[in-house]
mmCIF file with all atom_site columns, all heavy atoms in Angstrom:
data_model
loop_
_atom_site.group_PDB
_atom_site.id
_atom_site.type_symbol
_atom_site.label_atom_id
_atom_site.label_alt_id
_atom_site.label_comp_id
_atom_site.label_asym_id
_atom_site.label_entity_id
_atom_site.label_seq_id
_atom_site.pdbx_PDB_ins_code
_atom_site.Cartn_x
_atom_site.Cartn_y
_atom_site.Cartn_z
_atom_site.occupancy
_atom_site.B_iso_or_equiv
_atom_site.pdbx_formal_charge
_atom_site.auth_seq_id
_atom_site.auth_comp_id
_atom_site.auth_asym_id
_atom_site.auth_atom_id
_atom_site.pdbx_PDB_model_num
ATOM 1  N N   . ALA A 1 25 ? 5.427   -6.515 4.328  1.00 98.00 ? 25 ALA A N   1
ATOM 2  C CA  . ALA A 1 25 ? 5.125   -5.245 5.016  1.00 98.00 ? 25 ALA A CA  1
ATOM 3  C C   . ALA A 1 25 ? 5.086   -5.467 6.522  1.00 98.00 ? 25 ALA A C   1
ATOM 4  O O   . ALA A 1 25 ? 4.764   -6.562 6.991  1.00 98.00 ? 25 ALA A O   1
ATOM 5  C CB  . ALA A 1 25 ? 3.809   -4.686 4.526  1.00 98.00 ? 25 ALA A CB  1
ATOM 6  N N   . VAL A 1 26 ? 5.418   -4.407 7.263  1.00 97.00 ? 26 VAL A N   1
ATOM 7  C CA  . VAL A 1 26 ? 5.390   -4.440 8.725  1.00 97.00 ? 26 VAL A CA  1
ATOM 8  C C   . VAL A 1 26 ? 4.510   -3.286 9.238  1.00 97.00 ? 26 VAL A C   1
ATOM 9  O O   . VAL A 1 26 ? 4.364   -2.273 8.573  1.00 97.00 ? 26 VAL A O   1
ATOM 10 C CB  . VAL A 1 26 ? 6.805   -4.341 9.350  1.00 97.00 ? 26 VAL A CB  1
ATOM 11 C CG1 . VAL A 1 26 ? 7.644   -5.525 8.971  1.00 97.00 ? 26 VAL A CG1 1
ATOM 12 C CG2 . VAL A 1 26 ? 7.478   -3.055 8.957  1.00 97.00 ? 26 VAL A CG2 1
ATOM 13 N N   . PRO A 1 33 ? 6.180   9.947  4.132  1.00 97.00 ? 33 PRO A N   1
ATOM 14 C CA  . PRO A 1 33 ? 5.841   10.231 2.739  1.00 97.00 ? 33 PRO A CA  1
ATOM 15 C C   . PRO A 1 33 ? 6.853   9.602  1.790  1.00 97.00 ? 33 PRO A C   1
ATOM 16 O O   . PRO A 1 33 ? 8.069   9.633  2.048  1.00 97.00 ? 33 PRO A O   1
ATOM 17 C CB  . PRO A 1 33 ? 5.888   11.771 2.668  1.00 97.00 ? 33 PRO A CB  1
ATOM 18 C CG  . PRO A 1 33 ? 5.531   12.195 4.066  1.00 97.00 ? 33 PRO A CG  1
ATOM 19 C CD  . PRO A 1 33 ? 6.196   11.155 4.958  1.00 97.00 ? 33 PRO A CD  1
ATOM 20 N N   . VAL A 1 38 ? 0.647   -0.693 2.741  1.00 97.00 ? 38 VAL A N   1
ATOM 21 C CA  . VAL A 1 38 ? -0.459  -1.619 2.549  1.00 97.00 ? 38 VAL A CA  1
ATOM 22 C C   . VAL A 1 38 ? -1.467  -1.346 3.658  1.00 97.00 ? 38 VAL A C   1
ATOM 23 O O   . VAL A 1 38 ? -1.080  -1.085 4.805  1.00 97.00 ? 38 VAL A O   1
ATOM 24 C CB  . VAL A 1 38 ? 0.041   -3.084 2.631  1.00 97.00 ? 38 VAL A CB  1
ATOM 25 C CG1 . VAL A 1 38 ? -1.087  -4.060 2.361  1.00 97.00 ? 38 VAL A CG1 1
ATOM 26 C CG2 . VAL A 1 38 ? 1.195   -3.323 1.662  1.00 97.00 ? 38 VAL A CG2 1
ATOM 27 N N   . TRP A 1 48 ? -7.175  -5.827 0.930  1.00 96.00 ? 48 TRP A N   1
ATOM 28 C CA  . TRP A 1 48 ? -5.970  -5.049 1.221  1.00 96.00 ? 48 TRP A CA  1
ATOM 29 C C   . TRP A 1 48 ? -5.509  -4.353 -0.034 1.00 96.00 ? 48 TRP A C   1
ATOM 30 O O   . TRP A 1 48 ? -5.585  -4.898 -1.145 1.00 96.00 ? 48 TRP A O   1
ATOM 31 C CB  . TRP A 1 48 ? -4.871  -5.977 1.753  1.00 96.00 ? 48 TRP A CB  1
ATOM 32 C CG  . TRP A 1 48 ? -5.171  -6.472 3.121  1.00 96.00 ? 48 TRP A CG  1
ATOM 33 C CD1 . TRP A 1 48 ? -6.017  -7.514 3.458  1.00 96.00 ? 48 TRP A CD1 1
ATOM 34 C CD2 . TRP A 1 48 ? -4.669  -5.965 4.344  1.00 96.00 ? 48 TRP A CD2 1
ATOM 35 N NE1 . TRP A 1 48 ? -6.048  -7.656 4.824  1.00 96.00 ? 48 TRP A NE1 1
ATOM 36 C CE2 . TRP A 1 48 ? -5.231  -6.730 5.393  1.00 96.00 ? 48 TRP A CE2 1
ATOM 37 C CE3 . TRP A 1 48 ? -3.785  -4.940 4.676  1.00 96.00 ? 48 TRP A CE3 1
ATOM 38 C CZ2 . TRP A 1 48 ? -4.930  -6.494 6.728  1.00 96.00 ? 48 TRP A CZ2 1
ATOM 39 C CZ3 . TRP A 1 48 ? -3.502  -4.695 5.996  1.00 96.00 ? 48 TRP A CZ3 1
ATOM 40 C CH2 . TRP A 1 48 ? -4.072  -5.482 7.021  1.00 96.00 ? 48 TRP A CH2 1
ATOM 41 N N   . LEU A 1 53 ? 2.335   6.472  0.159  1.00 98.00 ? 53 LEU A N   1
ATOM 42 C CA  . LEU A 1 53 ? 1.963   7.528  1.095  1.00 98.00 ? 53 LEU A CA  1
ATOM 43 C C   . LEU A 1 53 ? 2.479   8.853  0.563  1.00 98.00 ? 53 LEU A C   1
ATOM 44 O O   . LEU A 1 53 ? 3.671   8.995  0.274  1.00 98.00 ? 53 LEU A O   1
ATOM 45 C CB  . LEU A 1 53 ? 2.537   7.231  2.491  1.00 98.00 ? 53 LEU A CB  1
ATOM 46 C CG  . LEU A 1 53 ? 2.167   8.231  3.574  1.00 98.00 ? 53 LEU A CG  1
ATOM 47 C CD1 . LEU A 1 53 ? 0.657   8.260  3.814  1.00 98.00 ? 53 LEU A CD1 1
ATOM 48 C CD2 . LEU A 1 53 ? 2.909   7.895  4.858  1.00 98.00 ? 53 LEU A CD2 1
ATOM 49 N N   . VAL A 1 60 ? -2.952  8.734  0.404  1.00 96.00 ? 60 VAL A N   1
ATOM 50 C CA  . VAL A 1 60 ? -2.305  7.679  -0.378 1.00 96.00 ? 60 VAL A CA  1
ATOM 51 C C   . VAL A 1 60 ? -2.720  7.821  -1.839 1.00 96.00 ? 60 VAL A C   1
ATOM 52 O O   . VAL A 1 60 ? -3.812  8.313  -2.138 1.00 96.00 ? 60 VAL A O   1
ATOM 53 C CB  . VAL A 1 60 ? -2.643  6.269  0.142  1.00 96.00 ? 60 VAL A CB  1
ATOM 54 C CG1 . VAL A 1 60 ? -2.098  6.058  1.534  1.00 96.00 ? 60 VAL A CG1 1
ATOM 55 C CG2 . VAL A 1 60 ? -4.133  5.991  0.101  1.00 96.00 ? 60 VAL A CG2 1
ATOM 56 N N   . SER A 1 72 ? -6.755  8.010  -2.012 1.00 92.00 ? 72 SER A N   1
ATOM 57 C CA  . SER A 1 72 ? -7.355  9.031  -1.155 1.00 92.00 ? 72 SER A CA  1
ATOM 58 C C   . SER A 1 72 ? -8.366  9.922  -1.864 1.00 92.00 ? 72 SER A C   1
ATOM 59 O O   . SER A 1 72 ? -9.205  10.522 -1.211 1.00 92.00 ? 72 SER A O   1
ATOM 60 C CB  . SER A 1 72 ? -6.276  9.877  -0.494 1.00 92.00 ? 72 SER A CB  1
ATOM 61 O OG  . SER A 1 72 ? -5.694  9.134  0.555  1.00 92.00 ? 72 SER A OG  1
ATOM 62 N N   . GLY A 1 76 ? -10.372 9.250  1.002  1.00 94.00 ? 76 GLY A N   1
ATOM 63 C CA  . GLY A 1 76 ? -9.936  10.298 1.928  1.00 94.00 ? 76 GLY A CA  1
ATOM 64 C C   . GLY A 1 76 ? -8.655  9.892  2.615  1.00 94.00 ? 76 GLY A C   1
ATOM 65 O O   . GLY A 1 76 ? -8.098  8.820  2.359  1.00 94.00 ? 76 GLY A O   1
ATOM 66 N N   . PRO A 1 77 ? -8.131  10.721 3.504  1.00 95.00 ? 77 PRO A N   1
ATOM 67 C CA  . PRO A 1 77 ? -6.913  10.359 4.215  1.00 95.00 ? 77 PRO A CA  1
ATOM 68 C C   . PRO A 1 77 ? -7.187  9.197  5.169  1.00 95.00 ? 77 PRO A C   1
ATOM 69 O O   . PRO A 1 77 ? -8.280  9.015  5.661  1.00 95.00 ? 77 PRO A O   1
ATOM 70 C CB  . PRO A 1 77 ? -6.528  11.622 4.984  1.00 95.00 ? 77 PRO A CB  1
ATOM 71 C CG  . PRO A 1 77 ? -7.660  12.557 4.863  1.00 95.00 ? 77 PRO A CG  1
ATOM 72 C CD  . PRO A 1 77 ? -8.615  12.044 3.840  1.00 95.00 ? 77 PRO A CD  1
ATOM 73 N N   . ASP A 1 88 ? 10.140  -4.922 1.749  1.00 95.00 ? 88 ASP A N   1
ATOM 74 C CA  . ASP A 1 88 ? 10.855  -5.739 0.775  1.00 95.00 ? 88 ASP A CA  1
ATOM 75 C C   . ASP A 1 88 ? 9.925   -6.118 -0.364 1.00 95.00 ? 88 ASP A C   1
ATOM 76 O O   . ASP A 1 88 ? 8.723   -6.291 -0.164 1.00 95.00 ? 88 ASP A O   1
ATOM 77 C CB  . ASP A 1 88 ? 11.394  -7.008 1.440  1.00 95.00 ? 88 ASP A CB  1
ATOM 78 C CG  . ASP A 1 88 ? 12.530  -7.649 0.660  1.00 95.00 ? 88 ASP A CG  1
ATOM 79 O OD1 . ASP A 1 88 ? 13.000  -7.064 -0.363 1.00 95.00 ? 88 ASP A OD1 1
ATOM 80 O OD2 . ASP A 1 88 ? 12.961  -8.745 1.057  1.00 95.00 ? 88 ASP A OD2 1
#
Side-chain angles (χ1 to χ4, degrees):
V26 297
V38 183
W48 289 80
L53 183 62
V60 296
S72 284
D88 200 6

